[in-house]
Amino acid sequence: MGTPEFAVTSLEKLVDAGCNIVAVITAPDKAAGRGMQLQQSAVKKYALEKDINILQPNKLKDPEFLQLLRSLHADIQVVVAFRMLPEIVWNMPPLGTINLHGSLLPDYRGAAPINWAIINGEKFTGVTTFKLKQEIDTGDILLKEKIPIANDETAGELHDKMKVIGADLLLKTILGIADNTLTGIPQTSNPKPQTSNPKPQTSNSHPQTSNLKPLHHAAKIFTENCMIDWNRPVEDVYNLVRGLSPVPASFTTLEKKKLKIYKGGKIIGKPSIEPGIIDTDGKNYLRFACIDGYIDILDLQLEGKKRMEVKDFLRGYRFGVDAK
């Protein structure tokens, strides 16, 4: 069960290993693009290439879908980047339903663990396989693998690395369940979950390695999470930019127009201008002041324009004129 490209890597890994995939369950086709043409999910496209049975239910409790699901007689169900399942679905197969999650559970439960780990300045994250149960991301842990986060790594780069490592872990998990050498370990709960926000954590210890620290909640990313607050330290803003690149992308305004920022560099040192004010030579650099330095913009997209490198942008932009 899965929808985006992240899930395709896991499905491909299982197919290549000779696993008998009796069906793929993915999202219904959706109209998208200027022509509003029906678009197939990445998982469906792969399943069609491999001639795998495909189910696309609108509602997971639909009696017809449930009957079809039962008729498959699946031993196990695998969920990678899908949607929340009702108990009647996840509790159906004899070996249960397993999920691949992009964090070291129980830390960073939720919809956007990759983004929030980078936004919060974490140096490590990981992937976890676990058995599904009623409450989201709380089931018994099967396997984990720790992954370092590079200082300049974006969410997109971490995503691409994680989907490969996660696929390997998923196959290892299924083989362990199949030969009865792998059993789940209950997750430790923490009474004080910490809501993720654009402020990085300052502690040198990480919640995923210590039950004494509050857990982070990796909530869905909303527009308000993406707006840059220049009255923050450079490190905070730098991590926010990385954690939201390439999608949905952090943003600010430039002469009253929305400016998405995909990549930036850090310049530490007391700025000579107020936070949020730009410093540019009009040719080579465009910098925004923070409270303790600047973010040197390297890759951007102005509202109504294409994404481009800063030198290309400055070559065609006229301050005070294009803003009108």
Side-chain angles (χ1 to χ4, degrees):
M1 300 181 176
T3 298
E5 186 63 37
F6 188 92
V8 174
T9 307
S10 290
L11 176 58
E12 184 176 26
K13 188 75 178 181
L14 301 184
V15 169
D16 290 347
C19 295
N20 179 26
I21 310 297
V22 294
V24 157
I25 294 91
T26 191
D29 298 350
K30 293 183 179 180
R34 291 184 178 180
M36 295 302 288
Q37 298 293 315
L38 285 178
Q39 301 292 320
Q40 301 171 339
S41 74
V43 165
K44 180 179 179 178
K45 290 176 182 177
Y46 177 83
L48 287 170
E49 290 176 5
K50 297 297 180 179
D51 198 26
I52 302 173
N53 183 27
I54 301 168
L55 302 179
Q56 295 178 273
N58 285 305
K59 295 182 179 180
L60 296 176
K61 290 185 179 180
D62 180 83
E64 185 177 349
F65 166 68
L66 293 174
Q67 184 177 351
L68 283 171
L69 197 59
R70 289 190 192 96
S71 70
L72 297 172
H73 300 292
D75 297 300
I76 194 168
Q77 291 174 160
V78 178
V79 178
V80 183
F82 194 49
R83 56 211 247 210
M84 193 170 179
L85 303 183
E87 184 174 359
I88 195 171
V89 172
W90 61 256
N91 203 28
M92 189 179 293
L95 295 179
T97 299
I98 62 173
N99 183 217
L100 173 66
H101 186 72
S103 80
L104 294 171
L105 291 174
D107 207 19
Y108 289 102
R109 292 170 178 158
I114 299 175
N115 304 98
W116 286 114
I118 293 179
I119 291 171
N120 286 341
E122 302 288 1
K123 300 304 180 185
F124 291 92
T125 184
V127 284
T128 305
T129 52
F130 68 99
K131 285 271 188 90
L132 280 190
K133 61 184 247 185
Q134 192 64 43
E135 295 179 350
I136 191 167
D137 298 336
T138 61
D140 290 358
I141 291 173
L142 296 164
L143 291 174
K144 290 184 185 184
E145 184 160 343
K146 195 173 183 179
I147 302 171
I149 303 175
N151 291 332
D152 60 350
E153 195 161 23
T154 65
E157 292 165 344
L158 181 57
H159 167 281
D160 291 347
K161 183 168 68 176
M162 190 177 281
K163 70 181 181 181
V164 175
I165 297 172
D168 291 338
L169 191 72
L170 182 61
L171 176 59
K172 186 177 178 181
T173 300
I174 289 175
L175 295 177
I177 292 174
D179 63 18
N180 204 30
T181 59
L182 186 61
T183 56
I185 300 172
Q187 291 191 42
T188 55
S189 59
N190 191 307
K192 297 180 180 179
Q194 180 171 317
T195 302
S196 291
N197 55 61
K199 302 175 184 179
Q201 307 307 303
T202 57
S203 173
N204 289 325
S205 61
H206 298 280
Q208 62 262 35
T209 60
S210 173
N211 294 327
L212 300 177
K213 295 291 183 180
L215 300 177
H216 301 85
H217 176 53
K220 183 179 178 180
I221 300 290
F222 292 99
T223 301
E224 56 265 31
N225 302 125
C226 304
M227 187 170 182
I228 297 172
D229 178 3
W230 298 109
N231 287 290
R232 300 289 308 166
V234 167
E235 193 69 26
D236 289 25
V237 178
Y238 178 72
N239 290 338
L240 182 70
V241 171
R242 292 192 301 127
L244 297 175
S245 179
V247 288
S250 60
F251 71 89
T252 187
T253 56
L254 178 65
E255 298 189 318
K256 298 182 180 180
K257 288 188 177 182
K258 186 175 183 178
L259 180 72
K260 290 185 176 181
I261 300 174
Y262 298 98
K263 188 176 182 181
K266 296 181 289 185
I267 301 175
I268 305 297
K270 185 65 177 177
S272 58
I273 52 180
E274 293 297 312
I277 303 299
I278 61 170
D279 175 30
T280 180
D281 64 354
K283 296 180 181 180
N284 299 300
Y285 67 84
L286 174 64
R287 301 163 183 163
F288 280 84
C290 300
I291 61 172
D292 61 348
Y294 300 85
I295 292 292
D296 190 23
I297 310 303
L298 303 173
D299 189 353
L300 51 77
Q301 183 178 11
L302 187 66
E303 182 180 342
K305 304 289 184 179
K306 294 180 180 179
R307 177 178 171 176
M308 62 186 75
E309 293 183 1
V310 69
K311 288 184 179 181
D312 295 327
F313 170 76
L314 291 173
R315 192 177 295 119
Y317 188 79
R318 297 168 296 171
F319 287 90
V321 177
D322 289 345
K324 296 178 181 180

